[in-house]
Amino acid sequence: KFGEGFTVLINDVDQRDARVAALCESLEAAVRLPVNANAYLTAGGKQGFEAHFDAMDVIVVQLEGEKDWQLYEPFLPLPDAERKFAPSAALLHATPTVPVTLRPGDVLVLPRGVPHEAASQNSSAHSMHVTLGVLRKDATWAGVVHAVIDACARTRGVEAARCPAAARREVGGTDART
């Protein structure tokens, strides 16, 4: 299937390779947000995934081969992981693109929500890149509220009394006003 155009995706490369783990840890220290890494191996002359956007900021590091990227204007402002959207071919065709070719050692930063697609350039050579995902979920207001509720749930005993009333109801606590 690989030669037919399928891309091999290796999730959580940062859990499998110490060098990638160190890179993620350095980036985490700089941005103060969690970072993960996935690797993508695409057969020569093939496109791995259709146009899509990520709900996180991504940093693409090209390792082997060359890959042609098409970047589109965002359709949705700052989408989150729960918002699924696949742009139609007609919408993509009507949208201006920015073409970018990555070669080994090149880096591309894609902010959250930027639609993109990529294809391995040379029909006789594969292409491999690593994507570092900056997991911003907790850097949104919704993420902060969820983190507070999660923290309350972990400390249900004496500490739960300090949680807001709505959070106590959410985690099964009592509220003196109800």
Side-chain angles (χ1 to χ4, degrees), residues 7-17 20-21 23-24 35-41 49 52 54 56-63 67 69 127-135:
T7 288
V8 176
L9 166 60
I10 304 169
N11 287 319
D12 301 318
V13 176
D14 51 308
Q15 303 296 316
R16 304 168 196 268
D17 185 284
V20 178
L23 178 60
C24 288
V35 175
N36 74 349
N38 297 327
Y40 299 84
L41 177 66
F49 297 99
H52 67 282
D54 295 299
M56 66 186 118
D57 296 327
V58 298
I59 301 167
V60 178
V61 181
Q62 187 70 27
L63 300 177
K67 197 166 271 185
W69 292 73
S127 170
M128 180 177 236
H129 72 272
V130 170
T131 295
L132 306 171
V134 179
L135 309 176

